[in-house]
Amino acid sequence: MRGMVVPSAVTRREFILTAVSVAGGLMIGIGAAPRSARAAAISEQPWNDSEYAPHEIDAWIAIDPDDSVLIRYQRSEMGQGSMTALPMMITEELQCDWSKVRIEYASSNRSVREHRVYGNMYSHGSMSVRESQKMVQQVGASARERLIAAAAARWHAPATECVAAQSVVTHRPSGRTLRYGELAAEAAKVKLAKEPAIKTPAQFTFLPRRIPRADLAHKTNGSAKFGIDAQVPGMVFASINACPVRGGKLKSVDESLLAGVPGIVGVVKLEDAVAVVATDSFWRAKRALSRLQPEWDVGAAGSVDSEQLSKEFRAALTDRMVVARNDGDVDKAMSGAASTFEAIYETPYLSHSPMEPMNATVNLQPDRLDVWVGTQDAEWALGAAARASGLRPEQVHIHNAFLGGGFGRRDANDEILQAIGIAKVVKRPVKLIWTREEDTRHDRFRPHAVVAFKAVTDSDGMPTAWSMRVVTSSIFKSVGIPFPPDKAEPPAIDGLESNGYNVPNTRVELHLRNTHLPVWFYRAPGANQHTFAIESFLDELASAHRLDPYQMRRKLLEGKPDWLKVLDTAAEKGDWGKPLPKGSGRGIAICNFTDSLCAQVAEVTVKPNGAVKVNRVTVALDTRHMVNPQTVTEQAEGAVIFGLSAALYGKITIKDGAALQGNFDSYRMVRLAEAPRIDVHLVPSGGNVWGGAGEPGVPPVAPAVTNAIFAATGKRIRTLPIVDTDLRSGET
């Protein structure tokens, strides 16, 4: 997730662009550029030139004489399913035959030349569907009405007598029909007096529908193109080693160690890194790079370690803070209280660690730059590549690919800038691949965070006042997003400020403490760590008063039927309250993120030797509306595994200013044998907003599991990862 680019919205009232494609079909797009700019042709080179066809020159939709429909997808696909969902929304309005739809990535270069014809091109923050929803529906509705108008004109009949369905326009009084392919060329010339209204979810006929992701077949048969698959004639291969301490510089490197080594093009020295370039393979470049012994100037940050950072963050809990939320009068409510409850929760730096390590292939020419990459924001990547190369944006072509995992990391394309720097030296197309170790240690990490809680309760044990003081680092500063220093940065307090509990006196405060380590958006930023803190602390209050954690939450959420529906569904389907054997327990947690609600019940077993087995996770998810319930379910399942990996094992340890963990042996993931049974229950509540699906399933995982561990062992975990806590019972 990243929020650097905040473009102006494209409204439903902005006109729809139409033209006749070279294949004689209808192409349609939305934009506000002058006609001359909108009519510019695309010069993008696809992965395989033989697959390029003239009728693919379009903005959003191309309908060919054979009734096939090409839909351009302007965002990124990393397994979240929006490359299927957005075309499904267009299909809902277009009323075309889904079996005839083809989907391809939109061109960021064309978007630049045509005044951002595609609007936002990023995929982060679970925004792909909910931010594009109105735009893509309008595109589909406009195309449908133009097809109807073309048919009505041919029949000399009122358009009101015609209806479109399944790629056919029918004249209802006579029963005459015309296929979309027969009407496309004429429809392209139609100018509507005004744009049609788009459907509300209650009017949908095609949606919601369970449909396999459009990219699934390609990823199954091996035809899907990821960034790492790029092949460019004449390219060379590069492996890179950056200064282990962020902010450090390359002091020197002895290039003579590689003199005469077969297949080595050369050594490229960058400001903070050294790369080796080979003629025939990444492996040759990597092996040669391992022979070099670069000297680094690591600066003052070279003495920093995790223990020191933890002490500094905890000490900063008493520093001056910015108030993010202040309901009631917390100080008054706490004064004179017979007893208070206090606890500090801490979460470590985390690496995104996508399965596909960072990579980029570039072909830099005097007047053109081509970049093959998997990026979460092709528009942003294009701008960064233009600045690094010195070319104009319209001279840069980003060939976006499927992403082998993103989670926010592929919003920052460090690898593109490095590849361009190498290409400037070797004067040839360059394919740069990071090793797994480079990918892990030179990540832009999930921030380290410490949260201090203080609460008082009434005679029934319900909290009447609580304060939350947060110390973490600024993602916005690391990304480069300007933000007022007297305001609380949203990602830094998400999951705390956004809690739904009816506690009359609530205060959330924030202190930002930045280090030399770059921090970044990470799946469900802020909430992925703060939900662990607040949901665990709430369980502490329940335990102190011998209250059922589920029933306590129910009482605190009175008057909020959507929250209660999610909570109750998770509890019911997760068998809350049913007996479990000794050494097993259940935990519950709930969160609000990206306008979606998610509650989870985890069931765990802790063996006498302290080994934890998460047996089952029950998920109740309310995304308000759904396009494709199948992909929403898949996202919830993936979120559980992602969150569970972080909860059980995730930790980046800093020593001498550098990250220690490098590969999956030291930065563990949940493996197949460790994966729990995951039951997902979708309970969309509707309303005026669309919620996200990709992220809200992450935050409840850790607290549901740690609360279950407490139920099983009586041991409270306040610092992650779980593996660092001794859970042995002493039994044999």
Side-chain angles (χ1 to χ4, degrees), residues 93-291:
E93 294 284 0
L94 182 58
Q95 290 293 296
C96 64
D97 182 346
W98 177 254
S99 68
K100 297 182 183 296
V101 169
R102 292 181 298 113
I103 306 163
E104 293 186 2
Y105 277 115
S107 162
S108 56
N109 179 274
R110 177 177 184 175
S111 195
V112 165
R113 290 183 285 103
E114 299 189 20
H115 296 228
R116 304 188 72 250
V117 66
Y118 294 113
N120 293 330
M121 299 191 75
Y122 57 69
S123 286
H124 55 239
S126 297
M127 294 293 287
S128 292
V129 169
R130 58 201 188 111
E131 190 166 284
S132 288
Q133 168 241 329
K134 292 181 179 179
M135 177 190 286
V136 298
Q137 280 191 244
Q138 194 67 63
V139 166
S142 180
R144 181 196 68 234
E145 291 305 301
R146 284 170 166 77
L147 289 159
I148 289 174
R154 200 186 281 194
W155 291 322
H156 303 289
T160 54
E161 294 181 355
C162 304
V163 63
Q166 283 295 297
S167 294
V168 173
V169 178
T170 301
H171 182 237
R172 284 176 293 191
S174 66
R176 289 176 291 181
T177 62
L178 286 168
R179 295 180 295 102
Y180 279 11
E182 298 175 282
L183 295 167
E186 297 160 57
K189 302 172 185 177
V190 171
K191 302 298 179 184
L192 298 176
K194 68 175 184 177
E195 290 301 321
I198 63 174
K199 297 179 183 179
T200 65
Q203 297 171 315
F204 289 165
T205 56
F206 179 65
L207 306 177
R209 183 169 302 198
R210 287 185 176 270
I211 292 177
R213 294 202 325 255
D215 56 312
L216 189 60
H218 303 283
K219 291 176 178 176
T220 302
N221 65 24
S223 64
K225 300 297 183 183
F226 293 83
I228 206 167
D229 295 321
Q231 296 291 327
V232 178
M235 73 180 184
V236 291
F237 299 80
S239 180
I240 197 164
N241 180 12
C243 180
V245 179
R246 279 284 191 161
K249 307 297 181 185
L250 176 64
K251 185 186 295 183
S252 65
V253 62
D254 184 1
E255 301 175 49
S256 66
L257 292 171
L258 299 183
V261 175
I264 299 302
V265 175
V267 175
V268 177
K269 292 179 282 187
L270 302 177
E271 183 180 20
D272 61 350
V274 59
V276 171
V277 184
T279 56
D280 59 348
S281 72
F282 164 73
W283 181 246
R284 187 184 296 275
K286 176 184 178 297
R287 292 194 65 184
L289 179 65
S290 67
R291 296 174 60 179

Side-chain angles (χ1 to χ4, degrees), residues 349-514:
Y349 291 107
L350 292 181
S351 166
H352 297 81
S353 290
M355 290 303 295
E356 178 192 14
M358 307 300 280
N359 64 87
T361 301
V362 304
N363 185 9
L364 178 61
Q365 303 170 64
D367 59 353
R368 177 181 172 123
L369 170 64
D370 288 87
V371 180
W372 291 264
V373 70
T375 173
Q376 288 183 239
D377 190 340
E379 181 183 31
W380 185 87
L382 186 150
R387 291 188 293 273
S389 65
L391 297 176
R392 300 189 306 276
E394 58 268 25
Q395 294 176 299
V396 178
H397 298 261
I398 301 293
H399 304 274
N400 204 3
F402 291 124
L403 282 64
F407 319 122
R409 178 62 180 99
R410 283 189 154 89
D411 273 335
N413 297 118
D414 310 89
E415 72 284 13
I416 294 178
L417 308 187
Q418 291 176 335
I420 291 171
I422 296 167
K424 286 181 177 180
V425 175
V426 300
K427 309 296 183 185
R428 294 171 67 177
V430 173
K431 182 173 188 174
L432 170 67
I433 301 175
W434 287 18
T435 62
R436 173 62 57 195
E437 288 76 11
E438 192 78 7
D439 189 87
T440 303
R441 293 173 180 150
H442 289 87
D443 196 357
R444 295 169 180 256
F445 303 117
R446 191 220 37 199
H448 175 201
V450 176
V451 185
F453 292 92
K454 185 176 182 181
V456 296
T457 59
D458 61 18
S459 57
D460 294 327
M462 305 302 291
T464 56
W466 57 0
S467 75
M468 309 164 205
R469 294 173 65 83
V470 187
V471 177
T472 189
S473 300
S474 171
I475 294 176
F476 281 6
K477 181 176 181 180
S478 186
V479 173
I481 302 173
F483 200 79
D486 59 339
K487 303 292 183 183
E489 183 176 300
I493 42 88
D494 217 331
L496 300 175
E497 186 273 339
S498 57
N499 83 81
Y501 297 119
N502 298 317
V503 178
N505 304 287
T506 298
R507 185 169 62 219
V508 180
E509 299 171 277
L510 169 67
H511 175 81
L512 292 175
R513 186 173 185 83
N514 299 311

Side-chain angles (χ1 to χ4, degrees), residues 580-599:
L580 285 170
K582 183 180 179 181
S584 295
R586 292 190 186 93
I588 194 167
I590 190 170
C591 80
N592 168 29
F593 193 75
T594 62
D595 294 319
S596 292
L597 299 171
C598 187

